[in-house]
Amino acid sequence: MARRFFSTSLSLSRSLTRHTKFPNPIPFPNLIKPIQSFHLTPPFFSSVSQIGDALSPTIQPPDEDNRSELLRSLEVLLGSSFRSDRLVYNQSPLVIVLSGPPGVGNDAVIKRLREVREGLHFAVTATTRPMRPGEVDGKDCYFISKEEFSAMMKRNELLEFSFMYGHYKGIPKTQIREFMEKGYDIVLRVEISRAKILRKILRNSAVFVFLMAESEAKLGERSIDRKTGTEESLLVRLPWVRENVKNFDYVVVNTDGKLESAVKLVESIIDAEKAKVRQRRTVV
Ligand SMILES: Nc1ncnc2c1ncn2[C@@H]1O[C@H](COP(=O)(O)OP(=O)(O)OP(=O)(O)O)[C@@H](O)[C@H]1O
């Protein structure tokens, strides 16, 4: 057994020397020497591939003293110390624009996302429409006067704004800035037309998620069942929905009875975006 360890270590040492280009003479020969006496674990061998000929699955991991010496030796071979900081810096807060045709389950997805996911701020829209029964100012919307809204527009305090059904709507920038500074990701739940405007403003700095039914046929059924529009409005809407999907980065299907899967997919999109090497950075 001891002989096998010795020959494995020796073969590793020779291979390392063979496969690593050292300046001549080798710097710090005494530091490189300890490698000869280490028994390495298979994962290490797989990372230095061609030297695995003499491997045995019975090789033991190095003890604690040898382990730190081995690490030091590897650092010498690497030419620098192993870094203990993160490989990717400054994970930026993500801005997620979520949109979909009426009745597809936009509110249901947002409601569930609030329950299951921490670290998200759901942006509140400012509107000049009157408050509906059951709505809470500052939670459902900021209910403000036309004068206040137009003052905010003039002061460039709105990320976007639009005029719909006789009333103004827009997203105040301050709340987004405040929550981004605290490290929150921001969710903007907007109608498709507002998502189109936001795409022009934010471009690729935000991630755009489109919520859709299983099919257009299903969307039609839902629209009728949930009374989310007249037949004509649906006929007008569908080609427009098809046309607008291209403004989005992801499509999430909210299948009937499978709300949980749709929410999980939105979460996975957020996770994947936050794991990207080149992160989106939104400046508001
Ligand atoms: N995956 C699903 N399965 C079953 N029912 C759902 C699903 N998603 C949403 N619903 C239900 O469908 C109805 C409409 O959903 P929701 O209010 O979220 O739609 P919406 O897209 O926000 O509509 P609108 O834009 O008109 O407000 C609600 O009763 C909701 O509970």
Side-chain angles (χ1 to χ4, degrees), residues 154-216:
K154 282 188 193 132
R155 292 197 300 263
N156 192 24
E157 283 176 11
L158 296 164
L159 180 60
E160 55 78 49
F161 58 87
S162 54
F163 187 71
M164 285 173 149
Y165 309 112
H167 298 289
Y168 288 97
K169 271 184 169 190
I171 302 169
K173 289 181 186 173
T174 36
Q175 51 160 333
I176 300 179
R177 284 195 196 120
E178 274 171 24
F179 279 90
M180 281 176 86
E181 273 163 25
K182 287 185 210 160
Y184 282 79
D185 297 317
I186 310 290
V187 180
L188 309 175
R189 187 275 203 232
V190 292
E191 297 85 355
I192 299 173
S193 56
R194 289 171 70 200
K196 196 176 170 184
I197 299 169
L198 282 170
R199 179 56 112 182
K200 285 191 184 136
I201 296 166
L202 300 173
R203 298 177 182 270
N204 281 332
S205 74
V207 59
F208 285 70
V209 179
F210 190 80
L211 203 62
M212 191 46 189
E214 304 86 302
S215 62
E216 287 183 357

Side-chain angles (χ1 to χ4, degrees), residues 101-109 189 226 228 254-259:
V104 78
N106 294 288
D107 285 339
V109 167
R189 187 275 203 232
R226 295 170 189 167
T228 48
N254 181 26
T255 306
D256 244 334
K258 295 198 171 158
L259 177 69

Side-chain angles (χ1 to χ4, degrees), residues 81-93 273-281:
S81 321
F82 291 120
R83 290 161 52 162
S84 53
D85 54 349
R86 295 166 64 111
L87 265 179
V88 177
Y89 307 96
N90 301 331
Q91 203 177 47
S92 320
E273 286 287 331
K274 293 192 76 70
K276 270 189 168 171
V277 173
R278 283 180 204 85
Q279 303 229 330
R280 300 174 196 259
R281 275 174 220 284

